[in-house]
Amino acid sequence: SDSNLLACKILCDKMLPDDLADVAVMQCEQNDGNVPMSISLPMAQNLRKEYISIEMFLNAHTMYAQFLDVIANTSPSHSSKSKMAGGTQNEFEKGIADKMERNAFRQKKSGLCKIITKAATRASDALMEVISFSGGWLIDENVFLSEEDTEEAQSRSHEMNAIRSTFLPKVVFMLYEVLDKTASWLEQVVYDTLIQFGSGSEDMLLALFSTFDESDVSNDDDVTMDVLTTSLAAPGYWHYKALSLASVIGNDANMINQVLGSDMERFQTSIAESHVKLGRCSNRDSLFDR
């Protein structure tokens, strides 16, 4: 439960020394097995890896919770002031006012997108670290050499497998949720702009996407449509990342397939939905023609 996770976070953040695992390994290296009742070096190394894995998960869960809070309290929609105000301006004045309002509207949307994409990036990166943890999250790699370690090592291995089977599928779907919700939020930005500015929305949105595009092609006028999948402010970017989860899960090095079990069908359904959504959001006509 969240309360149990909170207790674990407090324990790790506030009570345990930051270098606890490293000091334990260092002491085992110095003792070289000569201290009675001490654990072996391989056991200490495995405990360090377990500690790092759990700490990584707790951090990822914190980033995930913060993302949910941010996206729940940040609306993708806002009203254009000039659209609400109306007025008796002549055509020239209306043209100037409209251009100024488009810029103000886009800047407002840019600020909102920065809030969401920052939270989404932090959460997705932290969750991906868990999924792609070197050697597999909470996987035993060390060979226990001493007879004294064997029984305890086997018990710990079973415990770690139980934790892995319980929490790793959750991490997978937490990551998918972050990516999918971010894309859906950004689609609402597109809809809101289209509703208020109609045919002029495409240029506004492409300009918005371009300011968030870090790819090398963003300055090439001939490939402006690439921003539909390369810009952090474009829903297609996040749908693409969600779709890419399939290759991450399918990578044997991450050892995730074995713990998904009955959740695999649910995951495959989600990936299929992302494929459809990506097709819609990476196509200029379907994205801008609402």
Side-chain angles (χ1 to χ4, degrees):
S1 67
D2 287 344
S3 59
N4 290 334
L5 287 176
L6 178 60
C8 291
K9 292 174 184 178
I10 293 174
L11 177 64
C12 289
D13 293 342
K14 306 298 183 182
M15 302 179 69
L16 295 179
D18 293 337
D19 59 350
L20 175 65
D22 292 331
V23 169
V25 171
M26 182 181 67
Q27 289 180 343
C28 286
E29 291 173 339
Q30 293 173 348
N31 294 335
D32 196 25
N34 295 323
V35 178
M37 305 299 294
S38 65
I39 62 175
S40 67
L41 178 59
M43 172 66 85
Q45 291 172 331
N46 214 35
L47 286 170
R48 177 172 60 180
K49 181 179 178 182
E50 179 183 349
Y51 179 82
I52 293 172
S53 296
I54 293 175
E55 191 175 45
M56 184 178 292
F57 167 78
L58 293 175
N59 175 66
H61 185 273
T62 298
M63 295 298 103
Y64 167 75
Q66 290 176 355
F67 164 79
L68 292 182
D69 181 65
V70 168
I71 202 166
N73 291 284
T74 309
S75 174
S77 304
H78 75 281
S79 298
S80 166
K81 294 180 181 179
S82 67
K83 299 293 181 183
M84 296 175 62
T88 57
Q89 302 153 309
N90 59 42
E91 290 301 316
F92 177 76
E93 291 172 332
K94 285 182 179 180
I96 297 296
D98 184 63
K99 183 176 181 180
M100 292 177 63
E101 178 53 25
R102 286 171 185 270
N103 288 334
F105 187 87
R106 179 169 58 82
Q107 289 172 3
K108 174 68 173 179
K109 283 287 189 275
S110 178
L112 295 172
C113 288
K114 285 179 181 178
I115 294 171
I116 294 299
T117 56
K118 180 180 179 180
T121 298
R122 290 176 61 193
S124 60
D125 286 351
L127 291 163
M128 183 60 78
E129 281 187 355
V130 175
I131 292 176
S132 58
F133 187 76
S134 178
W137 187 72
L138 282 186
I139 290 290
D140 274 328
E141 290 182 333
N142 293 310
V143 178
F144 297 91
L145 302 178
S146 64
E147 293 181 359
E148 305 89 66
D149 287 342
T150 302
E151 184 177 348
E152 182 179 356
Q154 290 177 347
S155 176
R156 284 187 60 261
S157 182
H158 289 312
E159 291 175 357
M160 290 170 69
N161 282 333
I163 296 173
R164 178 178 167 82
S165 298
T166 299
F167 287 100
L168 198 51
K170 294 181 184 296
V171 173
V172 171
F173 288 105
M174 286 161 62
L175 176 53
Y176 180 84
E177 181 183 2
V178 169
L179 300 175
D180 188 62
K181 280 190 172 181
T182 302
S184 296
W185 189 94
L186 291 168
E187 282 195 64
Q188 290 300 317
V189 169
V190 173
Y191 301 155
D192 187 45
T193 307
L194 289 168
I195 288 171
Q196 298 194 57
F197 290 93
S199 59
S201 299
E202 181 175 335
D203 289 340
M204 293 173 62
L205 289 166
L206 288 176
L208 171 65
F209 295 165
S210 294
T211 61
F212 285 80
D213 185 19
E214 299 177 352
S215 68
D216 293 335
V217 300
S218 59
N219 294 321
D220 190 338
D221 292 337
D222 295 330
V223 289
T224 53
M225 288 304 108
D226 286 355
V227 298
L228 300 185
T229 53
T230 60
S231 169
L232 270 71
Y237 173 88
W238 298 93
H239 284 315
Y240 180 81
K241 291 193 72 171
L243 186 63
S244 298
L245 272 181
S247 61
V248 177
I249 302 305
N251 187 343
D252 292 338
N254 296 325
M255 304 181 70
I256 300 176
N257 278 325
Q258 57 184 286
V259 298
L260 278 182
S262 59
D263 288 322
M264 179 58 78
E265 184 176 350
R266 175 186 164 200
F267 176 74
Q268 291 173 335
T269 299
S270 297
I271 292 300
E273 292 173 354
S274 290
H275 184 270
V276 174
K277 294 173 182 177
L278 176 61
R280 179 180 69 239
C281 292
S282 60
N283 181 279
R284 174 180 184 170
D285 294 333
S286 58
L287 181 63
F288 296 133
D289 184 17
R290 300 290 181 178

